[in-house]
Amino acid sequence: MKANNRLVKRVSALVLCGALAAGTFLMSAGAVNTNVTAQLSPNINVVVDGATRTFYNAGGTEVHPIVYNGTTYLPLRAIGELMGKNVNWDQSSMTASLSGTRTNGGVAGTPDNTTVAQNVAAVVSTDITVTVDGVVRTFTNENGTAVYPLVYNGSIYLPLRAIGNLMGKTVSWDGATSTATLSGSSGGLVITDADSFGNGSNTGNTGNTGNTGNTGNTGNTGNTGSGQTATGLITADQAKSKALAHAGLSSNQVSFVRAYLEWDDGRQVYDVEFYTSDYKEYDYEIDARTGAILSFDYDADYYTPPANQTGTTITRDKAISIALSYVSGATQSNVRSCKLDRDDGRMEYEVEIVYGTMEYDFEIDAYTGTVISRDVDSIYD
């Protein structure tokens, strides 16, 4: 009994020290904990939508997948980055929440090539609550048995299958290469994400009661005055309006190609595309829940350079200044590259700016300074 008590104290101290060092999550003394032995598995590769991912904790230290009871676990905070959501830990309620649109980017770190597969002491906690956009989420294995978060070295981990559900991804495992893959839409599994379409009646999420009246979502009725559909999403018309406002255009100045709702990286977005009378094309990706503009692209596909594109080109500094005028708050230090190139028979500057969590790419006519195209995407895409 004394030996067991010493083991509990050592494991609790390990978790607490790891949490303080990493700046991530703490376990309270009253949590319902089970001390377990898991396997730290740096040999496992994780591929998300075709790209191999490396995960870091809040301190920039690489965190590796963990295998426990035959299930692969991934770090929750790093997955929150991939979903574009802010991750918060509330010590008083023992709640990890993923919500909103991530504003402070991701954590960069140095890859760890020295850690080897090994047994580690971890903690399974039934006292931790996980919410996504304010809705409590619970997790089960393929047999329908409840599974709970795992805590190791101050980080919360969730089973791979649960991560797939959160992101709306199909999960597969290749034992020959030790590769876990999350890709595309999870088909019927995305229905689980309907739990996040709460309308304020989901207190405690018990049985998901309180969602009556949402049956079928026929015509998305119930939209009066709220600015959102019965599922809590903005409408396609509202997505169009937000895109037009950002472009500084009105509806009578453009022709819409599409404005449809789709899933991307575990969240619903509107893909809005329109063009002007002079055939300048605009593409926007807008968060269907918050209305935030996630990315946009502008192309003057039919732009014709002056017939006499001769004389003196604008300077490199002038091209950079033009590009920076489109990125509020950015300075020279945010310019990653600026080069003079020939494309489609014209001379142009290609300027790349990274500011915050976004990457901006510009094509600028080298003679007139006209912005031929500009593209904005998250640095994590």
Side-chain angles (χ1 to χ4, degrees), residues 143-210:
N143 299 319
T145 303
V147 291
Y148 300 98
L150 188 73
V151 178
Y152 167 66
N153 204 22
S155 293
I156 292 179
Y157 289 73
L158 287 182
L160 185 61
R161 183 173 184 271
I163 294 293
N165 283 348
L166 288 179
M167 298 182 68
K169 302 288 185 184
T170 298
V171 179
S172 60
W173 170 255
D174 185 341
T177 60
S178 295
T179 299
T181 301
L182 296 90
S183 61
S185 170
S186 61
L189 289 179
V190 257
I191 295 175
T192 62
D193 286 337
D195 291 342
S196 66
F197 301 155
N199 55 13
S201 302
N202 278 339
T203 304
N205 206 32
T206 304
N208 280 329
T209 58

Short mmCIF file of all heavy atoms in Angstrom, two decimals, residues 143-210:
data_model
loop_
_atom_site.label_atom_id
_atom_site.label_comp_id
_atom_site.label_asym_id
_atom_site.label_seq_id
_atom_site.Cartn_x
_atom_site.Cartn_y
_atom_site.Cartn_z
N ASN A 143 -16.24 0.05 -30.26
CA ASN A 143 -17.25 -0.82 -29.65
C ASN A 143 -18.31 -0.05 -28.88
O ASN A 143 -19.19 -0.65 -28.26
CB ASN A 143 -16.57 -1.83 -28.71
CG ASN A 143 -15.58 -2.72 -29.45
OD1 ASN A 143 -15.86 -3.17 -30.56
ND2 ASN A 143 -14.43 -2.98 -28.84
N GLY A 144 -18.21 1.27 -28.89
CA GLY A 144 -19.18 2.10 -28.19
C GLY A 144 -18.87 2.31 -26.72
O GLY A 144 -19.66 2.91 -26.00
N THR A 145 -17.70 1.83 -26.27
CA THR A 145 -17.30 2.01 -24.88
C THR A 145 -16.68 3.40 -24.69
O THR A 145 -15.89 3.85 -25.52
CB THR A 145 -16.27 0.94 -24.48
OG1 THR A 145 -16.83 -0.35 -24.70
CG2 THR A 145 -15.90 1.08 -23.01
N ALA A 146 -17.06 4.07 -23.59
CA ALA A 146 -16.56 5.42 -23.34
C ALA A 146 -15.04 5.40 -23.16
O ALA A 146 -14.49 4.51 -22.51
CB ALA A 146 -17.24 6.00 -22.10
N VAL A 147 -14.37 6.40 -23.76
CA VAL A 147 -12.93 6.60 -23.56
C VAL A 147 -12.73 8.02 -23.06
O VAL A 147 -13.52 8.91 -23.37
CB VAL A 147 -12.13 6.36 -24.86
CG1 VAL A 147 -12.15 4.90 -25.24
CG2 VAL A 147 -12.68 7.21 -26.01
N TYR A 148 -11.65 8.22 -22.32
CA TYR A 148 -11.44 9.49 -21.64
C TYR A 148 -10.08 10.08 -21.99
O TYR A 148 -9.18 9.38 -22.47
CB TYR A 148 -11.55 9.29 -20.12
CG TYR A 148 -12.89 8.75 -19.70
CD1 TYR A 148 -13.08 7.39 -19.46
CD2 TYR A 148 -13.98 9.60 -19.58
CE1 TYR A 148 -14.32 6.89 -19.10
CE2 TYR A 148 -15.23 9.12 -19.21
CZ TYR A 148 -15.39 7.76 -18.97
OH TYR A 148 -16.63 7.28 -18.63
N PRO A 149 -9.91 11.39 -21.76
CA PRO A 149 -8.63 12.02 -22.05
C PRO A 149 -7.49 11.40 -21.27
O PRO A 149 -7.66 10.92 -20.15
CB PRO A 149 -8.86 13.48 -21.63
CG PRO A 149 -10.33 13.68 -21.72
CD PRO A 149 -10.93 12.37 -21.30
N LEU A 150 -6.33 11.43 -21.89
CA LEU A 150 -5.09 10.94 -21.28
C LEU A 150 -4.20 12.16 -21.05
O LEU A 150 -4.12 13.04 -21.90
CB LEU A 150 -4.41 9.95 -22.23
CG LEU A 150 -3.20 9.17 -21.74
CD1 LEU A 150 -3.64 8.10 -20.75
CD2 LEU A 150 -2.50 8.51 -22.93
N VAL A 151 -3.54 12.23 -19.91
CA VAL A 151 -2.66 13.35 -19.61
C VAL A 151 -1.24 12.83 -19.42
O VAL A 151 -1.01 11.90 -18.65
CB VAL A 151 -3.10 14.10 -18.33
CG1 VAL A 151 -2.11 15.23 -18.02
CG2 VAL A 151 -4.50 14.67 -18.51
N TYR A 152 -0.32 13.44 -20.18
CA TYR A 152 1.09 13.07 -20.05
C TYR A 152 1.94 14.33 -20.16
O TYR A 152 1.79 15.12 -21.10
CB TYR A 152 1.51 12.07 -21.13
CG TYR A 152 3.01 11.90 -21.24
CD1 TYR A 152 3.74 11.32 -20.20
CD2 TYR A 152 3.70 12.37 -22.36
CE1 TYR A 152 5.11 11.20 -20.27
CE2 TYR A 152 5.08 12.24 -22.44
CZ TYR A 152 5.78 11.65 -21.39
OH TYR A 152 7.15 11.54 -21.47
N ASN A 153 2.80 14.53 -19.18
CA ASN A 153 3.76 15.63 -19.20
C ASN A 153 3.07 16.99 -19.42
O ASN A 153 3.58 17.85 -20.12
CB ASN A 153 4.81 15.40 -20.28
CG ASN A 153 6.10 16.15 -19.99
OD1 ASN A 153 6.38 16.50 -18.85
ND2 ASN A 153 6.88 16.42 -21.02
N GLY A 154 1.89 17.16 -18.82
CA GLY A 154 1.20 18.43 -18.88
C GLY A 154 0.33 18.67 -20.09
O GLY A 154 -0.27 19.72 -20.22
N SER A 155 0.26 17.71 -21.00
CA SER A 155 -0.56 17.85 -22.20
C SER A 155 -1.72 16.88 -22.17
O SER A 155 -1.59 15.75 -21.70
CB SER A 155 0.27 17.61 -23.47
OG SER A 155 1.23 18.62 -23.65
N ILE A 156 -2.87 17.33 -22.66
CA ILE A 156 -4.05 16.46 -22.79
C ILE A 156 -4.02 15.78 -24.15
O ILE A 156 -3.79 16.43 -25.17
CB ILE A 156 -5.35 17.27 -22.65
CG1 ILE A 156 -5.50 17.80 -21.22
CG2 ILE A 156 -6.56 16.43 -23.00
CD1 ILE A 156 -6.74 18.63 -21.00
N TYR A 157 -4.26 14.47 -24.15
CA TYR A 157 -4.31 13.69 -25.38
C TYR A 157 -5.70 13.08 -25.54
O TYR A 157 -6.35 12.71 -24.56
CB TYR A 157 -3.29 12.54 -25.35
CG TYR A 157 -1.84 12.97 -25.45
CD1 TYR A 157 -1.20 13.60 -24.39
CD2 TYR A 157 -1.12 12.72 -26.61
CE1 TYR A 157 0.13 13.98 -24.48
CE2 TYR A 157 0.22 13.09 -26.70
CZ TYR A 157 0.84 13.72 -25.64
OH TYR A 157 2.15 14.08 -25.73
N LEU A 158 -6.16 12.96 -26.79
CA LEU A 158 -7.41 12.28 -27.10
C LEU A 158 -7.15 11.15 -28.08
O LEU A 158 -6.21 11.22 -28.89
CB LEU A 158 -8.42 13.26 -27.71
CG LEU A 158 -9.07 14.28 -26.79
CD1 LEU A 158 -10.06 15.13 -27.57
CD2 LEU A 158 -9.76 13.62 -25.61
N PRO A 159 -8.00 10.10 -28.06
CA PRO A 159 -7.82 8.99 -28.99
C PRO A 159 -7.94 9.45 -30.44
O PRO A 159 -8.68 10.40 -30.75
CB PRO A 159 -8.97 8.03 -28.63
CG PRO A 159 -9.35 8.39 -27.24
CD PRO A 159 -9.12 9.87 -27.13
N LEU A 160 -7.24 8.77 -31.33
CA LEU A 160 -7.22 9.14 -32.74
C LEU A 160 -8.63 9.17 -33.33
O LEU A 160 -8.98 10.07 -34.09
CB LEU A 160 -6.36 8.14 -33.51
CG LEU A 160 -6.11 8.42 -34.99
CD1 LEU A 160 -5.39 9.74 -35.16
CD2 LEU A 160 -5.31 7.29 -35.62
N ARG A 161 -9.46 8.21 -32.96
CA ARG A 161 -10.83 8.17 -33.49
C ARG A 161 -11.62 9.40 -33.05
O ARG A 161 -12.38 9.98 -33.82
CB ARG A 161 -11.53 6.89 -33.02
CG ARG A 161 -12.94 6.69 -33.58
CD ARG A 161 -13.46 5.31 -33.19
NE ARG A 161 -14.76 5.04 -33.78
CZ ARG A 161 -15.91 5.36 -33.21
NH1 ARG A 161 -15.91 5.95 -32.02
NH2 ARG A 161 -17.06 5.07 -33.80
N ALA A 162 -11.41 9.82 -31.80
CA ALA A 162 -12.11 11.02 -31.29
C ALA A 162 -11.63 12.26 -32.03
O ALA A 162 -12.42 13.15 -32.36
CB ALA A 162 -11.87 11.17 -29.79
N ILE A 163 -10.31 12.34 -32.30
CA ILE A 163 -9.76 13.46 -33.05
C ILE A 163 -10.39 13.51 -34.44
O ILE A 163 -10.74 14.58 -34.95
CB ILE A 163 -8.23 13.34 -33.17
CG1 ILE A 163 -7.57 13.48 -31.79
CG2 ILE A 163 -7.69 14.35 -34.15
CD1 ILE A 163 -7.69 14.85 -31.16
N GLY A 164 -10.55 12.35 -35.07
CA GLY A 164 -11.18 12.30 -36.38
C GLY A 164 -12.59 12.84 -36.35
O GLY A 164 -13.03 13.58 -37.24
N ASN A 165 -13.34 12.48 -35.29
CA ASN A 165 -14.71 12.99 -35.15
C ASN A 165 -14.73 14.50 -35.00
O ASN A 165 -15.55 15.20 -35.59
CB ASN A 165 -15.39 12.34 -33.95
CG ASN A 165 -15.83 10.91 -34.23
OD1 ASN A 165 -15.82 10.47 -35.37
ND2 ASN A 165 -16.18 10.18 -33.19
N LEU A 166 -13.81 15.03 -34.18
CA LEU A 166 -13.76 16.47 -33.96
C LEU A 166 -13.47 17.22 -35.26
O LEU A 166 -14.02 18.29 -35.51
CB LEU A 166 -12.69 16.82 -32.92
CG LEU A 166 -12.97 16.46 -31.46
CD1 LEU A 166 -11.79 16.86 -30.60
CD2 LEU A 166 -14.23 17.13 -30.96
N MET A 167 -12.58 16.67 -36.08
CA MET A 167 -12.15 17.34 -37.30
C MET A 167 -13.02 16.99 -38.50
O MET A 167 -12.86 17.58 -39.58
CB MET A 167 -10.69 17.00 -37.61
CG MET A 167 -9.71 17.43 -36.54
SD MET A 167 -7.98 17.06 -36.98
CE MET A 167 -7.71 18.19 -38.34
N GLY A 168 -13.95 16.03 -38.34
CA GLY A 168 -14.76 15.62 -39.47
C GLY A 168 -13.95 14.87 -40.51
O GLY A 168 -14.19 15.00 -41.71
N LYS A 169 -12.96 14.08 -40.05
CA LYS A 169 -12.06 13.38 -40.96
C LYS A 169 -12.24 11.87 -40.87
O LYS A 169 -12.63 11.33 -39.83
CB LYS A 169 -10.60 13.71 -40.62
CG LYS A 169 -10.24 15.19 -40.67
CD LYS A 169 -10.20 15.70 -42.09
CE LYS A 169 -9.72 17.14 -42.12
NZ LYS A 169 -9.77 17.70 -43.50
N THR A 170 -11.94 11.20 -41.96
CA THR A 170 -11.88 9.75 -41.98
C THR A 170 -10.51 9.31 -41.45
O THR A 170 -9.48 9.86 -41.86
CB THR A 170 -12.07 9.20 -43.40
OG1 THR A 170 -13.36 9.57 -43.87
CG2 THR A 170 -11.95 7.69 -43.42
N VAL A 171 -10.50 8.37 -40.52
CA VAL A 171 -9.26 7.93 -39.89
C VAL A 171 -8.88 6.55 -40.40
O VAL A 171 -9.73 5.65 -40.47
CB VAL A 171 -9.41 7.89 -38.36
CG1 VAL A 171 -8.12 7.40 -37.71
CG2 VAL A 171 -9.78 9.27 -37.82
N SER A 172 -7.62 6.38 -40.77
CA SER A 172 -7.13 5.07 -41.20
C SER A 172 -5.76 4.82 -40.60
O SER A 172 -5.06 5.75 -40.21
CB SER A 172 -7.06 4.99 -42.74
OG SER A 172 -6.19 5.97 -43.25
N TRP A 173 -5.39 3.54 -40.54
CA TRP A 173 -4.11 3.15 -39.92
C TRP A 173 -3.39 2.18 -40.83
O TRP A 173 -3.96 1.19 -41.29
CB TRP A 173 -4.35 2.52 -38.56
CG TRP A 173 -3.12 1.89 -37.95
CD1 TRP A 173 -2.84 0.56 -37.85
CD2 TRP A 173 -2.00 2.59 -37.37
NE1 TRP A 173 -1.62 0.38 -37.25
CE2 TRP A 173 -1.08 1.60 -36.94
CE3 TRP A 173 -1.70 3.94 -37.18
CZ2 TRP A 173 0.12 1.92 -36.33
CZ3 TRP A 173 -0.50 4.25 -36.58
CH2 TRP A 173 0.39 3.26 -36.16
N ASP A 174 -2.12 2.44 -41.11
CA ASP A 174 -1.27 1.57 -41.90
C ASP A 174 -0.22 0.99 -40.97
O ASP A 174 0.75 1.66 -40.61
CB ASP A 174 -0.62 2.36 -43.04
CG ASP A 174 0.18 1.46 -43.98
OD1 ASP A 174 0.54 0.33 -43.59
OD2 ASP A 174 0.46 1.89 -45.12
N GLY A 175 -0.42 -0.26 -40.58
CA GLY A 175 0.50 -0.89 -39.64
C GLY A 175 1.89 -1.10 -40.22
O GLY A 175 2.88 -1.09 -39.49
N ALA A 176 1.98 -1.28 -41.53
CA ALA A 176 3.28 -1.54 -42.15
C ALA A 176 4.21 -0.34 -42.04
O ALA A 176 5.43 -0.49 -41.88
CB ALA A 176 3.09 -1.91 -43.63
N THR A 177 3.65 0.86 -42.11
CA THR A 177 4.47 2.08 -42.04
C THR A 177 4.25 2.86 -40.75
O THR A 177 4.81 3.95 -40.58
CB THR A 177 4.15 3.01 -43.23
OG1 THR A 177 2.76 3.37 -43.19
CG2 THR A 177 4.45 2.33 -44.55
N SER A 178 3.41 2.31 -39.84
CA SER A 178 3.07 2.99 -38.58
C SER A 178 2.57 4.41 -38.86
O SER A 178 3.05 5.39 -38.28
CB SER A 178 4.28 3.03 -37.63
OG SER A 178 4.64 1.74 -37.22
N THR A 179 1.63 4.52 -39.78
CA THR A 179 1.11 5.83 -40.19
C THR A 179 -0.39 5.94 -39.91
O THR A 179 -1.17 5.09 -40.35
CB THR A 179 1.37 6.07 -41.69
OG1 THR A 179 2.77 6.04 -41.94
CG2 THR A 179 0.80 7.42 -42.12
N ALA A 180 -0.75 6.97 -39.17
CA ALA A 180 -2.15 7.30 -38.94
C ALA A 180 -2.53 8.42 -39.91
O ALA A 180 -1.83 9.43 -39.99
CB ALA A 180 -2.38 7.75 -37.51
N THR A 181 -3.62 8.25 -40.63
CA THR A 181 -4.03 9.22 -41.64
C THR A 181 -5.41 9.75 -41.34
O THR A 181 -6.35 8.99 -41.08
CB THR A 181 -4.02 8.58 -43.05
OG1 THR A 181 -2.70 8.10 -43.34
CG2 THR A 181 -4.42 9.60 -44.11
N LEU A 182 -5.55 11.08 -41.35
CA LEU A 182 -6.84 11.75 -41.24
C LEU A 182 -7.04 12.53 -42.52
O LEU A 182 -6.21 13.36 -42.88
CB LEU A 182 -6.88 12.70 -40.04
CG LEU A 182 -6.75 12.08 -38.65
CD1 LEU A 182 -5.28 12.02 -38.25
CD2 LEU A 182 -7.53 12.86 -37.62
N SER A 183 -8.13 12.24 -43.21
CA SER A 183 -8.30 12.88 -44.51
C SER A 183 -9.77 13.03 -44.86
O SER A 183 -10.62 12.30 -44.37
CB SER A 183 -7.61 12.08 -45.61
OG SER A 183 -8.17 10.77 -45.69
N GLY A 184 -10.03 14.03 -45.72
CA GLY A 184 -11.35 14.22 -46.30
C GLY A 184 -12.45 14.33 -45.29
O GLY A 184 -12.26 14.64 -44.12
N SER A 185 -13.67 14.08 -45.74
CA SER A 185 -14.83 14.07 -44.86
C SER A 185 -15.05 12.67 -44.34
O SER A 185 -14.77 11.69 -45.02
CB SER A 185 -16.08 14.52 -45.63
OG SER A 185 -17.24 14.30 -44.87
N SER A 186 -15.52 12.56 -43.11
CA SER A 186 -15.73 11.25 -42.51
C SER A 186 -17.09 10.67 -42.83
O SER A 186 -17.57 9.79 -42.15
CB SER A 186 -15.58 11.36 -40.99
OG SER A 186 -16.53 12.24 -40.45
N GLY A 187 -17.74 11.20 -43.87
CA GLY A 187 -19.03 10.65 -44.27
C GLY A 187 -20.04 10.77 -43.17
O GLY A 187 -20.32 11.84 -42.67
N GLY A 188 -20.63 9.63 -42.76
CA GLY A 188 -21.64 9.65 -41.73
C GLY A 188 -21.13 10.17 -40.40
O GLY A 188 -21.90 10.66 -39.60
N LEU A 189 -19.81 10.07 -40.16
CA LEU A 189 -19.28 10.50 -38.88
C LEU A 189 -19.45 11.99 -38.65
O LEU A 189 -19.46 12.46 -37.54
CB LEU A 189 -17.79 10.13 -38.78
CG LEU A 189 -17.47 8.65 -38.62
CD1 LEU A 189 -15.97 8.46 -38.57
CD2 LEU A 189 -18.11 8.09 -37.36
N VAL A 190 -19.58 12.79 -39.74
CA VAL A 190 -19.74 14.21 -39.52
C VAL A 190 -21.01 14.54 -38.79
O VAL A 190 -21.15 15.62 -38.26
CB VAL A 190 -19.74 15.01 -40.84
CG1 VAL A 190 -18.47 15.68 -41.08
CG2 VAL A 190 -20.19 14.21 -41.99
N ILE A 191 -21.95 13.61 -38.76
CA ILE A 191 -23.19 13.85 -38.03
C ILE A 191 -22.89 14.13 -36.57
O ILE A 191 -23.60 14.89 -35.91
CB ILE A 191 -24.13 12.62 -38.17
CG1 ILE A 191 -24.56 12.46 -39.62
CG2 ILE A 191 -25.36 12.77 -37.29
CD1 ILE A 191 -25.38 11.24 -39.90
N THR A 192 -21.82 13.57 -36.04
CA THR A 192 -21.47 13.84 -34.65
C THR A 192 -21.17 15.31 -34.44
O THR A 192 -21.35 15.83 -33.34
CB THR A 192 -20.24 13.02 -34.22
OG1 THR A 192 -19.12 13.40 -35.02
CG2 THR A 192 -20.48 11.54 -34.38
N ASP A 193 -20.72 15.98 -35.47
CA ASP A 193 -20.42 17.40 -35.34
C ASP A 193 -21.69 18.23 -35.19
O ASP A 193 -21.62 19.41 -34.91
CB ASP A 193 -19.62 17.89 -36.55
CG ASP A 193 -18.18 17.41 -36.49
OD1 ASP A 193 -17.71 17.12 -35.39
OD2 ASP A 193 -17.56 17.33 -37.54
N ALA A 194 -22.86 17.63 -35.43
CA ALA A 194 -24.11 18.35 -35.22
C ALA A 194 -24.27 18.73 -33.76
O ALA A 194 -25.04 19.61 -33.42
CB ALA A 194 -25.30 17.51 -35.69
N ASP A 195 -23.53 18.06 -32.87
CA ASP A 195 -23.58 18.43 -31.46
C ASP A 195 -23.14 19.87 -31.24
O ASP A 195 -23.49 20.50 -30.24
CB ASP A 195 -22.69 17.49 -30.62
CG ASP A 195 -23.24 16.08 -30.55
OD1 ASP A 195 -24.43 15.89 -30.83
OD2 ASP A 195 -22.46 15.18 -30.20
N SER A 196 -22.32 20.40 -32.16
CA SER A 196 -21.83 21.76 -31.99
C SER A 196 -22.79 22.80 -32.56
O SER A 196 -22.51 23.98 -32.54
CB SER A 196 -20.45 21.91 -32.65
OG SER A 196 -20.57 21.76 -34.05
N PHE A 197 -23.94 22.34 -33.10
CA PHE A 197 -24.89 23.28 -33.66
C PHE A 197 -25.93 23.66 -32.61
O PHE A 197 -27.12 23.70 -32.87
CB PHE A 197 -25.61 22.69 -34.87
CG PHE A 197 -24.68 22.29 -35.98
CD1 PHE A 197 -25.04 21.33 -36.90
CD2 PHE A 197 -23.44 22.88 -36.11
CE1 PHE A 197 -24.18 20.98 -37.92
CE2 PHE A 197 -22.57 22.54 -37.12
CZ PHE A 197 -22.95 21.58 -38.03
N GLY A 198 -25.50 23.88 -31.37
CA GLY A 198 -26.43 24.17 -30.29
C GLY A 198 -27.14 25.50 -30.49
O GLY A 198 -26.62 26.42 -31.11
N ASN A 199 -28.36 25.60 -29.93
CA ASN A 199 -29.11 26.85 -30.04
C ASN A 199 -29.38 27.45 -28.66
O ASN A 199 -30.34 28.18 -28.47
CB ASN A 199 -30.45 26.62 -30.77
CG ASN A 199 -31.28 25.53 -30.10
OD1 ASN A 199 -30.98 25.13 -28.98
ND2 ASN A 199 -32.32 25.08 -30.78
N GLY A 200 -28.51 27.09 -27.70
CA GLY A 200 -28.67 27.65 -26.37
C GLY A 200 -29.48 26.79 -25.44
O GLY A 200 -29.66 27.10 -24.27
N SER A 201 -30.02 25.67 -25.93
CA SER A 201 -30.85 24.80 -25.10
C SER A 201 -30.12 23.54 -24.72
O SER A 201 -30.72 22.58 -24.26
CB SER A 201 -32.13 24.43 -25.87
OG SER A 201 -32.84 25.58 -26.23
N ASN A 202 -28.79 23.51 -24.95
CA ASN A 202 -28.03 22.28 -24.73
C ASN A 202 -27.37 22.24 -23.37
O ASN A 202 -26.31 21.68 -23.22
CB ASN A 202 -26.95 22.15 -25.81
CG ASN A 202 -27.51 21.57 -27.09
OD1 ASN A 202 -28.56 20.94 -27.06
ND2 ASN A 202 -26.84 21.81 -28.19
N THR A 203 -27.94 22.85 -22.35
CA THR A 203 -27.32 22.91 -21.03
C THR A 203 -26.88 21.53 -20.58
O THR A 203 -27.68 20.62 -20.46
CB THR A 203 -28.31 23.50 -20.00
OG1 THR A 203 -28.74 24.76 -20.48
CG2 THR A 203 -27.64 23.63 -18.66
N GLY A 204 -25.55 21.42 -20.35
CA GLY A 204 -25.01 20.14 -19.89
C GLY A 204 -24.96 19.11 -20.97
O GLY A 204 -24.43 18.03 -20.79
N ASN A 205 -25.62 19.40 -22.14
CA ASN A 205 -25.63 18.49 -23.27
C ASN A 205 -26.27 17.15 -22.93
O ASN A 205 -26.04 16.15 -23.60
CB ASN A 205 -24.21 18.26 -23.78
CG ASN A 205 -24.19 17.87 -25.25
OD1 ASN A 205 -25.05 18.32 -26.00
ND2 ASN A 205 -23.24 17.06 -25.64
N THR A 206 -27.07 17.10 -21.84
CA THR A 206 -27.67 15.83 -21.43
C THR A 206 -28.63 15.34 -22.49
O THR A 206 -29.67 15.93 -22.74
CB THR A 206 -28.42 15.99 -20.11
OG1 THR A 206 -27.53 16.52 -19.14
CG2 THR A 206 -28.97 14.66 -19.65
N GLY A 207 -28.25 14.24 -23.10
CA GLY A 207 -29.13 13.63 -24.09
C GLY A 207 -29.36 14.49 -25.30
O GLY A 207 -30.20 14.19 -26.13
N ASN A 208 -28.66 15.65 -25.38
CA ASN A 208 -28.86 16.59 -26.47
C ASN A 208 -30.30 17.02 -26.59
O ASN A 208 -30.80 17.32 -27.67
CB ASN A 208 -28.40 16.00 -27.82
CG ASN A 208 -26.91 16.10 -27.98
OD1 ASN A 208 -26.30 17.02 -27.46
ND2 ASN A 208 -26.31 15.15 -28.68
N THR A 209 -31.03 17.04 -25.46
CA THR A 209 -32.39 17.52 -25.51
C THR A 209 -32.39 19.02 -25.73
O THR A 209 -31.42 19.70 -25.54
CB THR A 209 -33.11 17.22 -24.19
OG1 THR A 209 -32.38 17.83 -23.11
CG2 THR A 209 -33.21 15.73 -23.97
N GLY A 210 -33.50 19.55 -26.10
CA GLY A 210 -33.61 20.98 -26.32
C GLY A 210 -33.38 21.36 -27.76
O GLY A 210 -33.51 22.51 -28.13
#
